[in-house]
């Protein structure tokens, strides 16, 4: 069992930045690939970024490539999402997820999920 807790969300103006954190407790964090997803009102869950257990491989959705950066600190059992150049369309609840397998973009392959943190970008 892995418990995930996101933090760092909030209200920011368009063009601003936020850094989300996801702290993990439970089983060995470094054994899991991690990912960030989001869900905007009235929309389906969207993959944003994933990172392998070692941090050596990262993958991004086209919608955030070049603006968002995923990273992890296995010593702190934490994964991060640095978000720059935020846009109003980035407004959503952001979730982190853990996968005992590979760093994929498919939510159904992730075993554990956090409760989410709200990000609101004003125009």
């Amino acid at each position: 069992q892995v418990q995930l807790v996101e933090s760092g969300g909030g209200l920011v103006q368009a063009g601003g930045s936020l850094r989300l954190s996801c702290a993990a407790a439970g089983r060995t964090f470094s054994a899991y690939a991690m990912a960030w997803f989001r869900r905007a009102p009235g929309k389906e869950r969207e993959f944003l970024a994933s990172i392998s257990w070692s941090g050596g491989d990262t993958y991004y959705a086209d919608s955030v490539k070049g603006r968002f950066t995923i990273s992890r600190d296995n010593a702190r059992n934490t994964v991060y999402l640095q978000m720059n150049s935020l846009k109003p369309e980035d407004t959503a609840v952001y979730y982190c997820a853990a996968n005992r397998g590979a760093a994929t973009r498919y939510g159904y392959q992730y075993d554990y999920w956090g409760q989410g943190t709200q990000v609101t970008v004003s125009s």
Side-chain angles (χ1 to χ4, degrees):
Q1 190 79 8
V2 175
Q3 294 82 41
L4 303 174
V5 179
E6 301 94 339
S7 62
L11 175 64
V12 63
Q13 288 188 332
S17 297
L18 282 175
R19 188 176 81 156
L20 304 184
S21 299
C22 173
R27 296 292 185 103
T28 305
F29 174 74
S30 60
Y32 290 80
M34 301 294 296
W36 287 95
F37 293 80
R38 69 186 178 190
R39 187 187 297 273
K43 295 187 177 182
E44 294 188 352
R45 184 176 59 199
E46 177 187 12
F47 166 79
L48 299 175
S50 60
I51 187 167
S52 60
W53 66 270
S54 68
D57 296 302
T58 57
Y59 307 93
Y60 294 93
D62 288 343
S63 59
V64 303
K65 196 174 296 182
R67 297 192 299 127
F68 291 9
T69 303
I70 189 170
S71 61
R72 66 189 297 161
D73 184 341
N74 286 343
R76 296 179 182 272
N77 286 3
T78 303
V79 63
Y80 304 98
L81 186 68
Q82 177 67 43
M83 306 187 295
N84 299 327
S85 302
L86 284 163
K87 306 173 183 179
E89 51 263 45
D90 293 317
T91 295
V93 178
Y94 284 67
Y95 300 90
C96 67
N99 177 17
R100 285 170 288 185
T104 77
R105 60 179 59 238
Y106 304 109
Y108 72 87
Q109 293 180 322
Y110 285 80
D111 306 293
Y112 303 103
W113 294 80
Q115 293 298 308
T117 186
Q118 176 71 46
V119 171
T120 303
V121 184
S122 63
S123 58

